[in-house]
Amino acid sequence: LLKALIQAESHWDPAARSETGADGLGQFTGVAMKEVRRQMGLGTYADRYRNDTNIRDQLRNFNTTAAYRPRIAIEATAFMLATLLEKYDGNEEAALTYYNAGGNMAAHVRRYGHAEARRRGLLTFSQSSTYAPKVLRYKRKFDAGWHPEQDD
């Protein structure tokens, strides 16, 4: 799922920058970077990195510069994805929707499922209606042995 998310976000370009100002492999916005820093301040999440203080410290101070460092960007993306999967009890569609568009839309996906939330018009951020299905398609491709250098 992590590889699929990074494929969808940046096509593995560590220097990627979106029109909305999202940076790096995981396409982090300023708000998302702040959330990584906040979550790293909570003991249970910081404990995941207790044996790698360099990564832990960089995530605690996550910023635009760090978003362009591939290892840190992958760790931050993995950290946020794991946190969201935990929050949504493993519901990949809800976790991906939150990653892409925030909690309100993720709550709709969790309640109704992605297709029904989309049918009801509850996914108001236009990209959110296609984002989770796109990432899950990439996940299936990776699971089948696909490599990003092959055609999308």
Side-chain angles (χ1 to χ4, degrees):
L1 188 61
L2 175 63
K3 291 189 296 186
L5 186 149
I6 291 172
Q7 177 68 24
E9 288 290 343
S10 66
H11 293 278
W12 293 93
D13 178 2
R17 182 166 177 86
S18 74
E19 295 172 0
T20 59
D23 299 306
L25 292 171
Q27 290 293 282
F28 282 91
T29 62
V31 171
M33 289 180 204
K34 185 176 179 180
E35 181 64 12
V36 169
R37 292 191 300 267
R38 187 186 76 75
Q39 291 286 342
M40 282 306 296
L42 304 175
T44 54
Y45 296 113
D47 285 348
R48 292 179 182 174
Y49 296 95
R50 71 177 161 268
N51 295 326
D52 193 337
T53 56
N54 181 43
I55 295 292
R56 184 189 64 218
D57 292 345
Q58 289 193 52
L59 290 175
R60 281 185 176 159
N61 299 302
F62 192 59
N63 59 26
T64 302
T65 302
Y68 288 110
R69 293 185 192 128
R71 180 167 181 219
I72 301 304
I74 291 169
E75 289 286 348
T77 305
F79 174 77
M80 283 305 295
L81 185 57
T83 301
L84 293 170
L85 286 167
E86 192 173 297
K87 176 179 181 164
Y88 290 104
D89 301 318
N91 183 323
E92 292 178 344
E93 288 183 330
L96 291 168
T97 300
Y98 187 104
Y99 190 94
N100 181 251
N104 290 337
M105 287 187 235
H108 296 314
V109 169
R110 185 179 198 180
R111 180 173 181 192
Y112 299 110
H114 197 276
E116 181 63 15
R118 185 173 160 186
R119 190 189 69 73
R120 291 175 180 235
L122 298 172
L123 300 179
T124 55
F125 179 53
S126 64
Q127 185 185 18
S128 293
S129 66
T130 59
Y131 181 77
K134 176 173 136 179
V135 174
L136 294 173
R137 274 192 308 277
Y138 278 130
K139 179 184 177 204
R140 286 189 299 277
K141 288 172 100 173
F142 275 111
D143 289 347
W146 179 78
H147 189 274
E149 292 176 358
Q150 294 171 319
D151 292 336
D152 280 337

